Amino acid sequence: MKFTPLFSALLSLTAALMLSAVPVSGAQLKALIIDGRNNHDWRSTTPHLKKVLEETGLFQVDVATAPAKDGDMNSFRPKFSDYSVVISNYNGEPWSAETKSALVNHIRGGGGFVSIHAANNSFPEWKEYNEMIGVGGWGDRTEKWGPRLYWEEKLVRDSSPGRGGSHGDQHVFQMITRSPEHPIMKGLPSVWMHAKDELYDRLRGPAENLTVLATAYSDQITRGTGKHEPLLFSIAYGKGRVFHTALGHNNGADITSQRCIGFITTLQRGAEWAATGKVTQKVPENFPTADAVSSR
Ligand code: ZN
């Protein structure tokens, strides 16, 4: 069969149009970091978080910054539903009812959420937020918020009265994997040394549909609790998935804890899992060992 030049041209045009309609291979997941308020310097951490997420090649990351102290919080209306995963670097004033329900509906409907360090201090009075993050600290949280968790051969839910949230001196500490078959943890060493950080303790909350991924021993020598404190979690929330890392303190521009390859790797994997329910990333060769910190 012989094509006329016009017909050939039409064929090529059709082929080109068909190709352009096919998603580019390796299409990226959209991720949104929320910041703007925090008792930690979020201006130092958000660019780092954005960079480590983008370097996986999996994410295209936007940032939504809430208005500063004298700004109008009602104007803060990120379009959460545009994103596969929302990452909170936010600890501050409550949002409008509309913004809160937009987040709840999006995660409940199958979206991903990631809570980093003091993001779990936020919103003590927001019931659904506490359900999403599983446990939190400070903000006058007490036993009324739910049990305080610790690990003693298995997860213990301690409902006795007391405050929720505290930490001892910042120090280097070992992380112990408790759910080695979870996609976020699979292939990671069972014990690894985390860079200098705050070791949150006595976190409290509803802790429903929650899996403890890793703990760290909170030594009384560093003014800790003498308990194994859960610090990495996954939570099922409706059809959605939440990855909660209590790690990642920063002292102003000093973001030592977030430069830890263990922090970075678990964040990258946790964000992918929250977005898709799977983890396709390899564990980096420079992952920390049981007795040596590895940072960059
Ligand atoms: Zn901190």
Side-chain angles (χ1 to χ4, degrees):
M1 187 176 180
K2 229 179 143 198
F3 295 144
T4 65
L6 177 62
F7 186 63
S8 296
L10 277 172
L11 262 187
S12 337
L13 182 64
T14 312
L17 283 171
M18 281 173 72
L19 272 176
S20 68
V22 174
V24 181
S25 71
Q28 290 182 315
L29 300 162
K30 288 195 74 182
L32 180 70
I33 299 176
I34 314 163
D35 65 11
R37 304 280 184 100
N38 206 312
N39 58 325
H40 300 70
D41 178 19
W42 52 270
R43 287 182 182 83
S44 298
T45 50
T46 291
H48 172 73
L49 299 169
K50 184 174 192 295
K51 180 167 163 272
V52 302
L53 289 170
E54 284 180 339
E55 73 187 27
T56 63
L58 295 169
F59 301 104
Q60 183 251 306
V61 185
D62 293 336
V63 178
T65 299
K69 270 223 156 47
D70 44 4
D72 174 17
M73 195 54 87
N74 282 324
S75 68
F76 185 61
R77 291 165 186 264
K79 204 163 172 231
F80 298 120
S81 57
D82 282 351
Y83 296 91
S84 299
V85 58
V86 176
I87 297 116
S88 179
N89 192 24
Y90 183 95
N91 174 22
E93 193 181 315
W95 302 335
S96 70
E98 289 77 15
T99 298
K100 290 202 290 187
S101 54
L103 181 70
V104 170
N105 292 339
H106 178 51
I107 307 306
R108 205 174 259 164
F113 187 75
V114 175
S115 171
I116 297 176
H117 193 56
N120 77 11
N121 301 186
S122 217
F123 309 125
E125 306 300 337
W126 181 4
K127 179 175 173 279
E128 290 85 356
Y129 185 76
N130 286 302
E131 290 168 357
M132 269 190 263
I133 61 171
V135 288
W138 294 269
D140 295 327
R141 284 171 168 89
T142 64
E143 68 279 3
K144 287 180 195 147
W145 270 249
R148 147 282 194 271
L149 307 182
Y150 60 88
W151 193 278
E152 210 169 75
E153 291 176 13
K154 60 181 173 55
L155 179 62
V156 178
R157 293 162 193 265
D158 179 354
S159 295
S160 59
R163 67 173 296 173
S166 185
H167 62 76
D169 303 328
Q170 292 176 35
H171 63 295
V172 165
F173 51 85
Q174 270 184 338
M175 295 291 292
I176 305 171
T177 300
R178 301 298 185 180
S179 300
E181 293 305 313
H182 191 284
I184 298 172
M185 306 307 285
K186 202 161 172 115
L188 266 56
S190 56
V191 180
W192 51 277
M193 194 64 87
H194 176 46
K196 186 177 178 184
D197 201 345
E198 282 175 348
L199 198 171
Y200 275 4
D201 63 53
R202 288 176 276 198
L203 298 176
R204 285 183 179 274
E208 288 158 8
N209 310 311
L210 166 146
T211 302
V212 173
L213 303 178
T215 62
Y217 181 66
S218 173
D219 201 323
Q220 289 174 319
I221 290 170
T222 49
R223 300 191 307 117
T225 56
K227 301 274 191 206
H228 286 275
E229 298 288 343
L231 296 176
L232 301 182
F233 311 87
S234 69
I235 301 101
Y237 186 70
K239 291 182 191 152
R241 290 162 303 276
V242 178
F243 171 64
H244 175 165
T245 176
L247 304 177
H249 173 80
N250 64 307
N251 301 302
D254 175 1
I255 61 164
T256 298
S257 78
Q258 295 198 2
R259 293 192 184 282
C260 167
I261 305 296
F263 173 84
I264 292 169
T265 304
T266 49
L267 173 66
Q268 290 168 328
R269 295 168 68 94
E272 184 184 3
W273 178 81
T276 68
K278 290 185 200 136
V279 175
T280 58
Q281 301 166 64
K282 290 198 172 70
V283 179
E285 282 179 11
N286 60 347
F287 197 88
T289 60
D291 40 33
V293 167
S294 174
S295 294
R296 61 182 212 202

